[in-house]
Coordinates of all heavy atoms in Angstrom, one line a residue:
F37 N 45.7 30.7 -3.5 CA 45.5 32.0 -3.0 C 44.5 32.0 -1.9 O 44.5 32.8 -0.9 CB 45.0 33.0 -4.1 CG 46.2 33.3 -5.0 CD1 46.2 32.8 -6.3 CD2 47.2 34.1 -4.6 CE1 47.2 33.1 -7.2 CE2 48.3 34.4 -5.5 CZ 48.2 33.9 -6.8
L38 N 43.5 31.0 -1.9 CA 42.5 30.9 -0.8 C 43.3 30.5 0.5 O 43.0 31.1 1.5 CB 41.5 29.8 -1.2 CG 40.6 30.2 -2.3 CD1 39.7 29.0 -2.7 CD2 39.7 31.4 -2.0
E39 N 44.2 29.6 0.4 CA 44.9 29.2 1.5 C 45.8 30.3 2.1 O 45.9 30.5 3.3 CB 45.8 28.0 1.2 CG 46.5 27.4 2.4 CD 47.3 26.1 2.1 OE1 47.5 25.9 0.9 OE2 47.7 25.4 3.0
L40 N 46.4 31.1 1.2 CA 47.3 32.2 1.6 C 46.4 33.3 2.3 O 46.9 33.8 3.3 CB 47.9 32.8 0.3 CG 48.9 33.9 0.6 CD1 50.1 33.5 1.4 CD2 49.4 34.5 -0.7
G41 N 45.2 33.5 1.8 CA 44.3 34.4 2.5 C 43.5 33.8 3.6 O 42.7 34.5 4.2
Q42 N 43.8 32.6 4.0 CA 43.2 31.9 5.1 C 41.6 31.8 4.9 O 40.9 31.8 5.9 CB 43.6 32.4 6.4 CG 45.1 32.4 6.7 CD 45.5 33.0 8.0 OE1 44.8 33.8 8.6 NE2 46.7 32.6 8.4
A43 N 41.2 31.8 3.7 CA 39.7 31.6 3.4 C 39.4 30.1 3.5 O 40.2 29.2 3.3 CB 39.4 32.1 2.0
S44 N 38.2 29.9 3.9 CA 37.7 28.5 4.0 C 37.2 28.0 2.7 O 36.6 28.7 1.9 CB 36.6 28.4 5.1 OG 35.5 29.1 4.7
Y45 N 37.6 26.8 2.4 CA 37.1 26.1 1.1 C 37.3 24.6 1.2 O 38.0 24.2 2.2 CB 38.0 26.6 -0.1 CG 39.4 26.2 0.0 CD1 39.9 25.1 -0.7 CD2 40.4 26.9 0.7 CE1 41.2 24.7 -0.7 CE2 41.7 26.6 0.8 CZ 42.1 25.5 0.1 OH 43.4 25.1 0.1
D46 N 36.6 23.9 0.4 CA 36.7 22.4 0.3 C 37.6 22.1 -0.8 O 37.3 22.2 -2.0 CB 35.3 21.9 0.1 CG 35.3 20.3 0.1 OD1 36.5 19.7 0.3 OD2 34.3 19.7 0.0
P47 N 38.8 21.6 -0.5 CA 39.8 21.2 -1.6 C 39.2 20.2 -2.5 O 39.6 20.1 -3.7 CB 41.0 20.6 -0.8 CG 40.9 21.2 0.6 CD 39.4 21.4 0.8
G48 N 38.3 19.4 -2.1 CA 37.6 18.4 -2.9 C 36.8 18.9 -4.0 O 36.5 18.3 -5.0
D49 N 36.4 20.2 -3.8 CA 35.6 20.9 -4.8 C 36.4 21.6 -5.9 O 35.9 22.2 -6.8 CB 34.7 22.0 -4.2 CG 33.6 21.3 -3.4 OD1 33.2 20.2 -3.6 OD2 33.1 22.0 -2.5
M50 N 37.7 21.5 -5.9 CA 38.6 22.2 -6.8 C 39.6 21.2 -7.4 O 40.0 20.3 -6.9 CB 39.3 23.3 -6.0 CG 38.5 24.2 -5.1 SD 39.5 25.4 -4.3 CE 38.9 26.8 -5.2
D51 N 40.0 21.6 -8.6 CA 41.1 20.9 -9.3 C 42.4 21.7 -9.2 O 43.4 21.2 -9.6 CB 40.7 20.6 -10.7 CG 40.6 21.9 -11.6 OD1 40.7 23.0 -11.1 OD2 40.6 21.7 -12.8
A52 N 42.3 22.8 -8.5 CA 43.5 23.6 -8.2 C 44.3 23.1 -7.1 O 43.8 22.3 -6.2 CB 43.1 25.1 -8.0
K53 N 45.6 23.5 -7.1 CA 46.5 23.1 -6.0 C 47.0 24.4 -5.3 O 47.1 25.4 -5.9 CB 47.7 22.3 -6.5 CG 47.4 21.1 -7.3 CD 47.1 20.0 -6.4 CE 46.8 18.7 -7.3 NZ 46.7 17.5 -6.6
S54 N 47.3 24.3 -4.0 CA 47.8 25.4 -3.3 C 49.3 25.7 -3.8 O 50.1 24.8 -4.0 CB 47.9 25.1 -1.8 OG 48.6 26.1 -1.1
I55 N 49.5 27.0 -3.9 CA 50.9 27.4 -4.3 C 51.6 27.9 -3.1 O 52.8 28.3 -3.2 CB 50.9 28.6 -5.4 CG1 50.2 29.8 -4.8 CG2 50.2 28.1 -6.6 CD1 50.4 31.1 -5.6
L56 N 51.0 27.8 -1.9 CA 51.7 28.2 -0.7 C 53.0 27.5 -0.5 O 54.0 28.2 -0.1 CB 50.8 28.1 0.5 CG 51.2 28.8 1.8 CD1 51.4 30.3 1.6 CD2 50.1 28.5 2.9
P57 N 53.2 26.2 -0.6 CA 54.5 25.6 -0.5 C 55.6 26.2 -1.4 O 56.7 26.4 -0.9 CB 54.2 24.2 -0.8 CG 52.8 23.9 -0.6 CD 52.1 25.2 -0.9
I58 N 55.2 26.6 -2.6 CA 56.1 27.2 -3.5 C 56.5 28.6 -3.0 O 57.7 29.0 -3.0 CB 55.5 27.3 -4.9 CG1 55.3 25.9 -5.5 CG2 56.4 28.1 -5.8 CD1 54.6 25.9 -6.8
L59 N 55.6 29.4 -2.5 CA 55.8 30.7 -2.0 C 56.7 30.6 -0.7 O 57.5 31.6 -0.5 CB 54.5 31.4 -1.7 CG 53.6 31.8 -2.9 CD1 52.3 32.4 -2.4 CD2 54.4 32.7 -3.8
K60 N 56.6 29.5 0.0 CA 57.5 29.3 1.2 C 58.8 28.8 0.8 O 59.7 28.7 1.7 CB 56.8 28.3 2.1 CG 55.6 28.8 2.8 CD 55.0 27.8 3.7 CE 53.8 28.2 4.5 NZ 53.3 27.2 5.4
G61 N 59.1 28.6 -0.5 CA 60.4 28.1 -1.0 C 60.6 26.6 -0.9 O 61.7 26.1 -1.0
E62 N 59.5 25.8 -0.6 CA 59.6 24.4 -0.5 C 59.7 23.8 -1.9 O 59.1 24.3 -2.9 CB 58.4 23.8 0.2 CG 58.2 24.3 1.6 CD 56.9 23.9 2.3 OE1 56.3 23.0 1.7 OE2 56.6 24.5 3.3
D63 N 60.5 22.8 -2.1 CA 60.6 22.1 -3.3 C 59.5 21.0 -3.5 O 59.7 19.9 -3.0 CB 62.0 21.4 -3.4 CG 62.3 20.8 -4.8 OD1 61.6 21.2 -5.8 OD2 63.3 20.0 -4.9
V64 N 58.4 21.4 -4.1 CA 57.3 20.5 -4.2 C 56.9 20.4 -5.7 O 57.1 21.3 -6.5 CB 56.1 21.0 -3.4 CG1 56.4 20.9 -1.9 CG2 55.6 22.3 -3.8
K65 N 56.3 19.2 -6.0 CA 55.8 19.0 -7.4 C 54.3 19.2 -7.3 O 53.6 18.4 -6.6 CB 56.2 17.6 -7.9 CG 55.8 17.4 -9.3 CD 56.4 16.0 -9.7 CE 56.1 15.8 -11.2 NZ 56.7 14.5 -11.7
I66 N 53.8 20.2 -7.9 CA 52.3 20.5 -7.8 C 51.5 19.6 -8.7 O 50.5 19.1 -8.4 CB 52.1 22.0 -8.1 CG1 52.8 22.9 -7.1 CG2 50.6 22.3 -8.2 CD1 52.3 22.8 -5.7
R67 N 52.0 19.4 -9.9 CA 51.3 18.6 -10.9 C 52.2 17.6 -11.5 O 53.4 17.7 -11.5 CB 50.7 19.5 -12.0 CG 49.8 20.6 -11.5 CD 48.6 20.7 -12.4 NE 47.7 21.8 -12.0 CZ 46.6 21.7 -11.3 NH1 46.3 20.5 -10.9 NH2 45.9 22.7 -11.0
E68 N 51.6 16.5 -12.1 CA 52.4 15.5 -12.8 C 53.1 16.0 -14.0 O 54.2 15.6 -14.4 CB 51.5 14.3 -13.1 CG 51.0 13.6 -11.8 CD 52.1 13.0 -11.0 OE1 53.1 12.4 -11.5 OE2 52.1 13.2 -9.8
V69 N 52.3 16.9 -14.8 CA 52.8 17.4 -16.0 C 52.5 18.9 -16.1 O 51.6 19.4 -15.5 CB 52.3 16.7 -17.3 CG1 52.6 15.3 -17.4 CG2 50.8 17.0 -17.4
Q70 N 53.4 19.6 -16.8 CA 53.1 21.1 -17.1 C 52.5 21.1 -18.5 O 52.9 20.4 -19.4 CB 54.4 21.8 -17.1 CG 54.3 23.2 -17.5 CD 55.6 23.9 -17.6 OE1 56.7 23.4 -17.3 NE2 55.6 25.1 -18.1
Q71 N 51.5 21.9 -18.6 CA 50.8 22.0 -19.9 C 50.6 23.4 -20.3 O 50.3 24.3 -19.4 CB 49.4 21.3 -19.8 CG 48.6 21.3 -21.1 CD 47.3 20.6 -21.0 OE1 47.1 19.8 -20.0 NE2 46.4 20.7 -21.9
S72 N 50.8 23.7 -21.6 CA 50.5 25.0 -22.1 C 50.0 24.9 -23.5 O 50.2 23.8 -24.1 CB 51.8 25.9 -22.1 OG 52.8 25.4 -22.9
E73 N 49.3 25.9 -23.9 CA 48.6 25.8 -25.2 C 48.7 27.1 -26.0 O 48.7 28.2 -25.3 CB 47.1 25.5 -25.1 CG 46.9 24.1 -24.5 CD 45.4 23.7 -24.5 OE1 44.7 24.1 -25.4 OE2 45.0 23.0 -23.5
L74 N 48.8 27.1 -27.3 CA 48.8 28.2 -28.2 C 47.7 27.8 -29.2 O 47.3 26.6 -29.3 CB 50.1 28.5 -28.8 CG 51.2 28.9 -27.9 CD1 52.5 29.0 -28.6 CD2 50.9 30.3 -27.3
I75 N 47.4 28.7 -30.1 CA 46.5 28.3 -31.2 C 47.2 27.1 -32.0 O 48.3 27.3 -32.5 CB 46.2 29.5 -32.1 CG1 45.5 30.6 -31.3 CG2 45.4 29.1 -33.3 CD1 45.4 31.9 -32.0
H76 N 46.5 26.0 -32.2 CA 46.9 24.9 -32.9 C 48.1 24.1 -32.3 O 48.7 23.3 -33.0 CB 47.2 25.3 -34.4 CG 46.2 26.1 -35.1 ND1 44.9 25.6 -35.3 CD2 46.2 27.3 -35.5 CE1 44.2 26.5 -35.8 NE2 44.9 27.6 -36.0
T77 N 48.5 24.4 -31.1 CA 49.6 23.7 -30.5 C 49.4 23.5 -29.0 O 48.9 24.4 -28.3 CB 51.0 24.6 -30.7 OG1 51.1 24.9 -32.1 CG2 52.1 23.8 -30.2
M78 N 49.9 22.4 -28.5 CA 49.8 22.1 -27.1 C 51.2 21.5 -26.7 O 51.8 20.8 -27.5 CB 48.7 21.0 -26.8 CG 48.7 20.5 -25.4 SD 47.6 19.0 -25.2 CE 46.0 19.8 -25.5
M79 N 51.6 21.8 -25.5 CA 52.9 21.3 -25.0 C 52.6 20.6 -23.6 O 51.9 21.2 -22.8 CB 53.9 22.4 -24.9 CG 55.3 21.9 -24.4 SD 55.6 21.6 -22.7 CE 55.2 23.2 -21.9
L80 N 53.2 19.4 -23.5 CA 53.2 18.8 -22.2 C 54.6 18.4 -21.8 O 55.4 17.9 -22.6 CB 52.3 17.5 -22.3 CG 50.9 17.7 -22.5 CD1 50.3 16.9 -23.6 CD2 50.1 17.5 -21.2
Y81 N 54.9 18.6 -20.5 CA 56.3 18.4 -20.0 C 56.1 17.7 -18.7 O 55.5 18.1 -17.8 CB 57.0 19.7 -19.9 CG 58.3 19.6 -19.2 CD1 59.4 18.8 -19.8 CD2 58.6 20.2 -17.9 CE1 60.6 18.7 -19.2 CE2 59.8 20.1 -17.3 CZ 60.8 19.4 -17.9 OH 62.0 19.2 -17.3
D82 N 56.8 16.5 -18.6 CA 56.7 15.7 -17.4 C 57.9 15.7 -16.5 O 58.0 14.9 -15.6 CB 56.3 14.2 -17.7 CG 57.5 13.5 -18.4 OD1 58.5 14.1 -18.7 OD2 57.3 12.3 -18.8
G83 N 58.8 16.6 -16.8 CA 60.1 16.7 -16.0 C 61.3 16.1 -16.7 O 62.4 16.3 -16.4
K84 N 61.0 15.3 -17.8 CA 62.0 14.7 -18.6 C 61.7 14.9 -20.1 O 62.5 15.4 -20.8 CB 62.1 13.2 -18.3 CG 63.2 12.5 -19.2 CD 63.4 11.1 -19.0 CE 64.3 10.5 -20.0 NZ 65.3 9.7 -19.6
Y85 N 60.5 14.5 -20.4 CA 60.1 14.6 -21.9 C 59.2 15.8 -22.1 O 58.3 16.1 -21.3 CB 59.3 13.4 -22.3 CG 60.2 12.1 -22.4 CD1 60.2 11.2 -21.3 CD2 61.1 12.0 -23.5 CE1 61.1 10.1 -21.4 CE2 61.9 10.9 -23.6 CZ 61.9 9.9 -22.5 OH 62.7 8.8 -22.6
K86 N 59.4 16.5 -23.2 CA 58.5 17.5 -23.7 C 57.9 17.1 -25.0 O 58.6 16.9 -26.0 CB 59.4 18.8 -23.9 CG 58.6 20.0 -24.4 CD 59.5 21.2 -24.6 CE 58.8 22.4 -25.1 NZ 59.8 23.5 -25.3
W87 N 56.6 17.1 -25.0 CA 55.8 16.6 -26.2 C 55.1 17.9 -26.7 O 54.3 18.5 -26.0 CB 54.8 15.6 -25.8 CG 53.9 15.1 -26.9 CD1 54.1 15.1 -28.2 CD2 52.6 14.6 -26.8 NE1 53.1 14.6 -29.0 CE2 52.1 14.3 -28.1 CE3 51.7 14.4 -25.7 CZ2 50.8 13.7 -28.3 CZ3 50.5 13.9 -25.9 CH2 50.0 13.5 -27.2
I88 N 55.4 18.2 -28.0 CA 54.7 19.3 -28.6 C 53.7 18.8 -29.6 O 54.1 18.1 -30.6 CB 55.7 20.2 -29.3 CG1 56.8 20.8 -28.3 CG2 55.0 21.4 -30.1 CD1 57.9 21.4 -28.9
R89 N 52.4 19.0 -29.4 CA 51.4 18.5 -30.3 C 51.0 19.7 -31.2 O 50.6 20.7 -30.8 CB 50.2 18.1 -29.5 CG 50.3 16.9 -28.6 CD 49.0 16.4 -28.2 NE 48.4 15.8 -29.4 CZ 47.1 15.3 -29.4 NH1 46.4 15.3 -28.3 NH2 46.6 14.7 -30.5
S90 N 51.3 19.5 -32.5 CA 51.0 20.5 -33.4 C 49.8 20.0 -34.3 O 49.9 19.0 -34.9 CB 52.2 20.8 -34.3 OG 51.9 21.7 -35.3
F91 N 48.7 20.8 -34.3 CA 47.6 20.4 -35.0 C 47.7 20.8 -36.5 O 46.8 20.4 -37.3 CB 46.3 20.9 -34.4 CG 46.2 20.4 -33.0 CD1 46.5 21.2 -31.9 CD2 45.8 19.0 -32.7 CE1 46.3 20.7 -30.6 CE2 45.7 18.6 -31.4 CZ 46.0 19.4 -30.4
N92 N 48.7 21.5 -36.9 CA 49.0 21.8 -38.3 C 50.3 21.2 -38.9 O 50.6 21.5 -40.0 CB 49.1 23.4 -38.4 CG 47.7 24.0 -38.2 OD1 46.7 23.5 -38.4 ND2 47.8 25.3 -37.7
D93 N 51.0 20.5 -38.1 CA 52.3 20.0 -38.5 C 52.6 18.7 -37.7 O 51.7 18.2 -37.1 CB 53.4 21.0 -38.2 CG 54.6 20.9 -39.0 OD1 54.7 19.9 -39.8 OD2 55.5 21.8 -38.9
L94 N 53.8 18.2 -37.8 CA 54.2 17.0 -37.1 C 54.4 17.2 -35.6 O 54.9 18.3 -35.2 CB 55.5 16.4 -37.8 CG 55.4 16.0 -39.2 CD1 56.8 15.6 -39.7 CD2 54.4 14.9 -39.5
D95 N 54.0 16.2 -34.8 CA 54.3 16.3 -33.4 C 55.8 16.1 -33.2 O 56.5 15.5 -34.0 CB 53.6 15.2 -32.6 CG 52.0 15.5 -32.5 OD1 51.6 16.5 -33.1 OD2 51.4 14.7 -31.8
E96 N 56.2 16.6 -32.0 CA 57.6 16.5 -31.6 C 57.7 16.0 -30.2 O 56.9 16.3 -29.4 CB 58.3 17.9 -31.7 CG 58.2 18.5 -33.1 CD 58.7 19.9 -33.1 OE1 59.8 20.2 -32.6 OE2 57.9 20.8 -33.6
L97 N 58.8 15.3 -29.9 CA 59.1 14.8 -28.6 C 60.6 15.0 -28.3 O 61.4 14.6 -29.1 CB 58.7 13.3 -28.3 CG 58.9 12.8 -27.0 CD1 58.0 13.3 -25.9 CD2 58.9 11.3 -27.0
Y98 N 60.9 15.6 -27.1 CA 62.3 15.8 -26.8 C 62.6 15.3 -25.4 O 61.8 15.5 -24.5 CB 62.6 17.3 -26.9 CG 62.5 17.9 -28.2 CD1 61.3 18.6 -28.5 CD2 63.4 17.7 -29.2 CE1 61.1 19.1 -29.8 CE2 63.2 18.2 -30.5 CZ 62.1 18.9 -30.8 OH 61.9 19.4 -32.1
D99 N 63.7 14.6 -25.3 CA 64.2 14.2 -24.0 C 65.1 15.3 -23.5 O 66.2 15.4 -23.9 CB 65.0 12.9 -24.1 CG 65.5 12.3 -22.8 OD1 65.7 13.1 -21.8 OD2 65.9 11.1 -22.8
L100 N 64.5 16.1 -22.6 CA 65.3 17.3 -22.2 C 66.4 17.0 -21.2 O 67.3 17.9 -21.1 CB 64.3 18.4 -21.6 CG 63.3 18.9 -22.5 CD1 62.4 20.0 -21.8 CD2 63.9 19.4 -23.8
E101 N 66.5 15.8 -20.7 CA 67.7 15.5 -19.9 C 68.9 15.2 -20.8 O 70.0 15.6 -20.5 CB 67.4 14.3 -19.0 CG 66.5 14.5 -17.9 CD 66.2 13.3 -17.1 OE1 66.7 12.2 -17.4 OE2 65.4 13.4 -16.1
R102 N 68.6 14.5 -22.0 CA 69.7 14.2 -22.9 C 69.9 15.3 -24.0 O 71.0 15.4 -24.6 CB 69.4 12.9 -23.6 CG 69.5 11.7 -22.7 CD 69.3 10.5 -23.4 NE 69.4 9.3 -22.5 CZ 69.4 8.1 -22.9 NH1 69.3 7.8 -24.2 NH2 69.5 7.1 -22.0
D103 N 68.8 16.0 -24.3 CA 68.8 17.0 -25.4 C 68.2 18.3 -24.9 O 67.0 18.6 -25.4 CB 68.0 16.3 -26.6 CG 67.9 17.2 -27.8 OD1 68.7 18.2 -27.9 OD2 67.1 16.9 -28.6
P104 N 68.8 19.0 -24.1 CA 68.2 20.2 -23.5 C 67.9 21.3 -24.5 O 67.1 22.2 -24.3 CB 69.1 20.7 -22.4 CG 70.5 20.1 -22.8 CD 70.1 18.8 -23.5
H105 N 68.6 21.3 -25.7 CA 68.4 22.3 -26.7 C 67.4 21.9 -27.7 O 67.2 22.6 -28.7 CB 69.8 22.6 -27.4 CG 70.8 23.1 -26.4 ND1 70.7 24.4 -25.8 CD2 71.9 22.5 -25.9 CE1 71.7 24.5 -25.0 NE2 72.5 23.5 -25.0
E106 N 66.7 20.8 -27.5 CA 65.7 20.3 -28.4 C 66.1 20.2 -29.8 O 65.5 20.7 -30.8 CB 64.4 21.2 -28.3 CG 63.9 21.2 -26.9 CD 62.7 22.2 -26.7 OE1 62.0 22.5 -27.7 OE2 62.5 22.6 -25.6
L107 N 67.2 19.4 -30.1 CA 67.8 19.3 -31.4 C 67.3 18.0 -32.1 O 67.4 17.9 -33.3 CB 69.3 19.4 -31.4 CG 69.9 20.6 -30.8 CD1 71.4 20.5 -30.6 CD2 69.5 21.8 -31.7
Y108 N 66.9 17.0 -31.3 CA 66.6 15.7 -31.8 C 65.1 15.3 -31.5 O 64.9 15.1 -30.3 CB 67.6 14.7 -31.3 CG 67.3 13.3 -31.8 CD1 67.4 12.9 -33.1 CD2 66.8 12.3 -30.9 CE1 67.1 11.6 -33.5 CE2 66.5 11.0 -31.3 CZ 66.7 10.7 -32.6 OH 66.4 9.4 -33.0
N109 N 64.3 15.2 -32.5 CA 62.9 14.8 -32.2 C 62.9 13.3 -32.1 O 63.1 12.6 -33.1 CB 62.0 15.3 -33.4 CG 60.6 14.9 -33.3 OD1 60.2 14.3 -32.3 ND2 59.8 15.3 -34.2
C110 N 62.7 12.8 -30.9 CA 62.7 11.4 -30.6 C 61.4 10.7 -30.6 O 61.2 9.6 -30.0 CB 63.5 11.1 -29.4 SG 62.8 11.8 -27.9
I111 N 60.4 11.3 -31.2 CA 59.0 10.8 -31.0 C 58.8 9.4 -31.6 O 58.1 8.6 -31.0 CB 57.9 11.8 -31.7 CG1 56.6 11.5 -31.2 CG2 58.1 11.8 -33.2 CD1 55.5 12.5 -31.4
S112 N 59.5 9.0 -32.6 CA 59.3 7.7 -33.2 C 60.0 6.6 -32.3 O 59.7 5.4 -32.5 CB 59.9 7.6 -34.6 OG 61.3 7.9 -34.6
H113 N 60.8 7.0 -31.4 CA 61.5 6.0 -30.6 C 60.8 5.8 -29.2 O 61.3 4.9 -28.4 CB 63.0 6.4 -30.3 CG 63.7 6.6 -31.6 ND1 64.1 5.4 -32.4 CD2 64.2 7.6 -32.3 CE1 64.8 5.8 -33.4 NE2 64.9 7.2 -33.4
H114 N 59.9 6.6 -28.9 CA 59.2 6.6 -27.6 C 57.7 6.6 -27.6 O 57.1 7.5 -27.0 CB 59.8 7.7 -26.7 CG 61.2 7.6 -26.4 ND1 61.8 6.6 -25.6 CD2 62.3 8.3 -26.9 CE1 63.1 6.7 -25.5 NE2 63.4 7.7 -26.3
P115 N 57.1 5.7 -28.3 CA 55.6 5.7 -28.3 C 55.0 5.5 -26.9 O 53.9 6.0 -26.6 CB 55.2 4.5 -29.2 CG 56.4 3.6 -29.2 CD 57.6 4.6 -29.0
E116 N 55.7 4.9 -26.0 CA 55.2 4.7 -24.6 C 55.1 6.0 -23.9 O 54.2 6.2 -23.0 CB 56.1 3.7 -23.9 CG 57.4 4.2 -23.4 CD 58.5 4.3 -24.5 OE1 58.3 3.9 -25.7 OE2 59.6 4.8 -24.2
V117 N 56.0 6.9 -24.2 CA 55.9 8.2 -23.5 C 54.7 9.0 -24.0 O 54.0 9.6 -23.2 CB 57.2 9.1 -23.8 CG1 57.1 10.5 -23.3 CG2 58.4 8.4 -23.2
I118 N 54.5 8.9 -25.3 CA 53.3 9.6 -25.9 C 52.0 9.0 -25.3 O 51.1 9.7 -25.0 CB 53.3 9.5 -27.4 CG1 54.5 10.2 -28.0 CG2 52.0 10.1 -28.0 CD1 54.7 11.6 -27.6
R119 N 51.9 7.7 -25.2 CA 50.8 7.0 -24.6 C 50.5 7.5 -23.2 O 49.4 7.8 -22.8 CB 50.9 5.5 -24.6 CG 50.6 4.8 -25.8 CD 50.4 3.3 -25.7 NE 51.6 2.7 -25.2 CZ 52.7 2.3 -26.0 NH1 52.6 2.5 -27.3 NH2 53.7 1.7 -25.5
E120 N 51.6 7.7 -22.4 CA 51.5 8.2 -21.0 C 51.0 9.6 -21.0 O 50.2 10.0 -20.2 CB 52.8 8.0 -20.3 CG 52.7 8.3 -18.8 CD 51.8 7.3 -18.0 OE1 51.6 6.2 -18.4 OE2 51.2 7.8 -17.1
L121 N 51.7 10.5 -21.8 CA 51.3 11.9 -21.8 C 50.0 12.2 -22.4 O 49.2 13.1 -22.0 CB 52.4 12.7 -22.5 CG 53.7 12.8 -21.9 CD1 54.7 13.5 -22.8 CD2 53.7 13.5 -20.6
R122 N 49.5 11.3 -23.2 CA 48.2 11.5 -23.9 C 47.1 11.4 -22.8 O 46.0 12.0 -23.0 CB 47.9 10.4 -24.9 CG 46.7 10.6 -25.8 CD 46.6 9.6 -26.9 NE 47.7 9.5 -27.8 CZ 47.9 10.3 -28.8 NH1 47.1 11.2 -29.1 NH2 49.0 10.1 -29.6
K123 N 47.3 10.8 -21.7 CA 46.3 10.7 -20.6 C 46.0 12.0 -20.0 O 44.9 12.2 -19.4 CB 46.9 9.8 -19.5 CG 47.1 8.4 -19.8 CD 47.7 7.6 -18.7 CE 48.0 6.2 -19.0 NZ 48.7 5.5 -18.0
Y124 N 46.8 13.0 -20.2 CA 46.6 14.4 -19.7 C 45.9 15.3 -20.7 O 45.8 16.5 -20.5 CB 47.9 15.0 -19.3 CG 48.5 14.2 -18.1 CD1 49.5 13.2 -18.4 CD2 48.1 14.4 -16.8 CE1 50.1 12.5 -17.4 CE2 48.7 13.6 -15.8 CZ 49.7 12.7 -16.1 OH 50.2 12.0 -15.1
T125 N 45.5 14.8 -21.9 CA 44.9 15.5 -22.9 C 43.4 15.2 -23.1 O 43.0 14.1 -22.5 CB 45.6 15.4 -24.3 OG1 45.3 14.1 -24.8 CG2 47.1 15.6 -24.2
F126 N 42.7 16.0 -23.8 CA 41.3 15.7 -24.0 C 41.1 14.7 -25.2 O 40.1 14.1 -25.3 CB 40.5 17.0 -24.4 CG 40.4 17.9 -23.2 CD1 41.1 19.1 -23.1 CD2 39.6 17.5 -22.1 CE1 40.9 19.9 -22.0 CE2 39.5 18.4 -21.0 CZ 40.1 19.6 -21.0
Q127 N 42.1 14.6 -26.0 CA 42.1 13.7 -27.1 C 42.8 12.4 -26.8 O 44.0 12.3 -26.9 CB 42.6 14.4 -28.4 CG 41.9 15.6 -28.8 CD 42.5 16.3 -30.0 OE1 43.6 16.1 -30.3 NE2 41.7 17.0 -30.7
Q128 N 42.1 11.5 -26.4 CA 42.7 10.2 -26.0 C 42.9 9.4 -27.3 O 43.7 8.6 -27.5 CB 41.7 9.4 -25.1 CG 41.4 10.2 -23.8 CD 42.6 10.4 -22.9 OE1 43.4 9.5 -22.7 NE2 42.7 11.5 -22.3

């Protein structure tokens, strides 16, 4: 929003990214993963895999390219994906 309003700022002082390319209709990837949280649950999505961390239940991992309806929890078959996505969490 700072860029849209043409305000001066130092991008090095922020962890935010400009949304101006998106508003212009450009196809850009702003972040490596999408993250959202609810009470006791966190979700990370990297464009292929969706990892649901449940702090009250079992974690889930879905390959959304092969399983867009999230019917098959493939977490036990892809520990390397969890290792990679874990880098984006506070709990290493």
Side-chain angles (χ1 to χ4, degrees):
F37 290 110
L38 293 172
E39 187 176 15
L40 184 62
Q42 298 179 342
S44 63
Y45 67 97
D46 182 358
D49 290 340
M50 310 181 108
D51 65 350
K53 304 281 184 170
S54 173
I55 63 167
L56 194 55
I58 294 171
L59 295 174
K60 290 180 176 179
E62 298 173 17
D63 187 17
V64 295
K65 187 173 184 178
I66 298 295
R67 302 224 185 259
E68 294 298 315
V69 298
Q70 175 186 353
Q71 180 177 347
S72 62
E73 296 183 35
L74 297 170
I75 298 172
H76 309 299
T77 307
M78 172 190 293
M79 185 278 304
L80 291 133
Y81 173 63
D82 69 359
K84 177 177 172 136
Y85 290 100
K86 178 179 178 180
W87 177 29
I88 302 169
R89 294 195 70 185
S90 176
F91 300 104
N92 291 333
D93 202 353
L94 298 175
D95 285 6
E96 302 170 52
L97 180 71
Y98 298 100
D99 179 342
L100 295 184
E101 289 179 358
R102 293 183 178 189
D103 180 18
H105 300 292
E106 301 177 22
L107 300 174
Y108 177 68
N109 182 0
C110 63
I111 197 164
S112 63
H113 300 290
H114 296 287
E116 74 285 357
V117 173
I118 300 302
R119 276 193 301 277
E120 188 61 32
L121 290 174
R122 191 176 303 275
K123 295 175 185 177
Y124 298 97
T125 70
F126 291 110
Q127 297 179 336
Q128 303 291 323

